[in-house]
Amino acid sequence: MKTKKNLIEDPKKQHDILAALRFLENLKTEISIATNIEDINDPAILNKLNEVILFLKKELL
């Protein structure tokens, strides 16, 4: 029986999914330490978040 880490056999796909998850983890940390919405209301961050969501939907659904 394969573990979850071995379910994705394509190394590039696995790398891209793990990178997307790291981005989300880092964003969560940034949100948790932000003192106001302007700290995270950066168009580049919001654009990257949208890209990550679309990528994960495409890969996982």
Side-chain angles (χ1 to χ4, degrees):
M1 183 168 167
K2 293 183 179 183
T3 63
K4 287 186 179 184
K5 287 188 177 187
N6 294 332
L7 288 176
I8 303 168
E9 294 183 7
D10 178 2
K12 182 183 181 333
K13 184 181 285 191
Q14 183 174 5
H15 173 269
D16 291 347
I17 290 172
L18 291 175
L21 290 172
R22 281 191 301 275
F23 169 80
L24 293 175
E25 290 172 339
N26 290 335
L27 180 59
K28 179 195 167 285
T29 301
E30 290 296 319
I31 291 169
S32 72
I33 62 174
T35 56
N36 57 54
I37 193 67
E38 288 80 23
D39 292 343
I40 57 169
N41 195 15
D42 180 334
I45 292 172
L46 297 174
N47 186 44
K48 181 65 177 180
L49 176 59
N50 189 52
E51 289 176 13
V52 166
I53 291 168
L54 293 174
F55 168 75
L56 289 174
K57 279 184 174 181
K58 183 182 113 195
E59 293 297 325
L60 301 175
L61 296 179

